[in-house]
Amino acid sequence: MATMAAAREFNFDGLVGPSHNYAGLSFGNVASFNNVKSASNPRQAALQGLAKMRALAARGFAQAVLPPHARPNFALLRSVGFGGSDAELLARAWREAPVLLACAYSGAPMWTANAATVSPSFDTADGRVHFTPANLNNKLHRAFEYVSAARALRAIFHDQRHFVVHDALPSTPAFGDEGAANHTRLAAQHGAAGLELFVYGRVEFDAAAPAPRRYPARQTLEASQAVARLHGLAPARTVFVQQNPQVIDQGVFHNDVIAVGNGELLFYHEDAFADEAGSIEALRTALAGCAAQLQAVRVGREAVPVADAVASYLFNSQLLSKPDGKMALVVPRECRENAAVERYLAQLLQDGGTIDELIDFDLRQSMRNGGGPACLRLRVALSPSEAAAMHQGVIMDEQLYARLTAWVERHYRDRLAPADLADPQLAREIETALQELEPILGLPGLYA
Ligand code: SUG
């Protein structure tokens, strides 16, 4: 059983893969749409992500890495009728269906907040850590990520005495599941029983429930409930809340673009939820049942309009607990460049509350596809024995940082334009790179 004392929350950041590119595949995600068909820089993207991991690890935060997925996804292309040799198949897909080719090359697994929903052992009925890989079925380019995500999670969390990696939910609209991007845990501390908050965008089996009109709601209530059941969560400590459909229509495609929680603190925008007062009250009550007290840090629309929250990704930040009980807010550099957000953050620090430090990173390569600091990481709170039982080769330290950086510099291109996906050499380069990654992470056969 898990012990309470020295549990730590690990952040598993996605290592950006060699095919990171801008294909405009995510309808409803404003940044993805705005940067469609511009050239990306996969090398810089990976180095920016690694720099974040290294800096946070050096600060003493528990940091690990999740591997990129094999690309292109030949199985996807073959399943929709492209055949022949790899080179023939790629050439024909480029000619006849360039969007499908872009889907097969997507670097989206880098946003590991969407890899799975995770419930720590402190919350689950059987005292094990539960993972449900997200089916991401709202977007073709992400709808097969769960296959590789489950494989990687099972390789890292292989010890079944401590960990359960479920299958993804049935991949049908009723069970649209986007993983931890719509899930937050609040607790007195990482190692205490906490409340798990699931934020859904629509209800499949209630035609009268509010829903967005312009952009899709990717997460359903039915999916959130299924994950809570699979994980064996206690109903009194599980809260389901509807996202405000109007903000989905303004580009808030995941709840983590408008709210983030850690410890007893929920940092959120007043327009985040369909029923703000009811949602906060439900959280307050459930958290009181965990012997903890909700600290709601509410950002008003006069201070930060939703458009600025979406442009700056203020809420797609990481809230990290420090040993002195205070928290650091890890924000993308865009927050320092948005006048309203910069003003708000200066005031927040001046107020002298729990958040007493800002750490900002240049994550522009990821941000241009709608992925900020919080999208790039999957949180896994672990007891000391669980941390010791997971695969150790993915834990970030100076040595791993140096090896991964050298690997990126050896294999990644510094420019990827849409037409480059037709180049059969790119597929070979990626295959070579990923084969070399297996021993670096100590995960033989990961890409077999
Ligand atoms: O699913 N972008 C991702 C961004 C995910 C951000 N994650 C969280 N908010 N947790 C998405 O929309 C863009 C791919 C492209 O257009 O090429 C993309 O998939």
Side-chain angles (χ1 to χ4, degrees), residues 139-265:
K139 299 282 178 262
L140 174 59
H141 70 290
R142 306 206 65 180
F144 300 93
E145 287 182 25
Y146 71 87
V147 178
S148 303
R151 194 180 165 94
L153 290 171
R154 286 180 177 134
I156 294 166
F157 300 101
H158 49 77
D159 186 336
Q160 295 179 11
R161 285 170 306 168
H162 292 292
F163 310 115
V164 193
V165 180
H166 297 278
D167 291 334
L169 299 178
S171 198
T172 184
F175 287 118
D177 180 18
E178 298 282 317
N182 290 305
H183 172 258
T184 294
R185 179 170 188 268
L186 299 172
Q189 48 185 295
H190 291 313
L195 87 71
E196 299 204 11
L197 165 64
F198 291 82
V199 184
Y200 58 92
R202 69 180 184 86
V203 187
E204 173 81 4
F205 297 123
D206 179 1
R213 289 155 189 240
R214 185 172 174 212
Y215 291 146
R218 300 196 200 180
Q219 179 85 32
T220 66
L221 171 63
E222 289 81 356
S224 297
Q225 289 170 330
V227 171
R229 264 192 308 272
L230 283 167
H231 292 195
L233 301 182
R237 293 190 277 109
T238 309
V239 177
F240 301 96
V241 151
Q242 177 151 21
Q243 202 183 343
N244 179 355
Q246 286 168 17
V247 299
I248 296 179
D249 280 339
Q250 292 172 73
V252 182
F253 56 97
H254 288 137
N255 176 64
D256 70 3
V257 177
I258 198 133
V260 56
N262 178 55
E264 299 178 310
L265 196 150

Side-chain angles (χ1 to χ4, degrees), residues 23-26 29 32 111 114 141-142 181 218 254 256 369-370 375:
L25 299 172
S26 272
N29 166 343
S32 152
W111 299 295
N114 306 115
H141 70 290
R142 306 206 65 180
R218 300 196 200 180
H254 288 137
D256 70 3
N369 247 343
C375 300

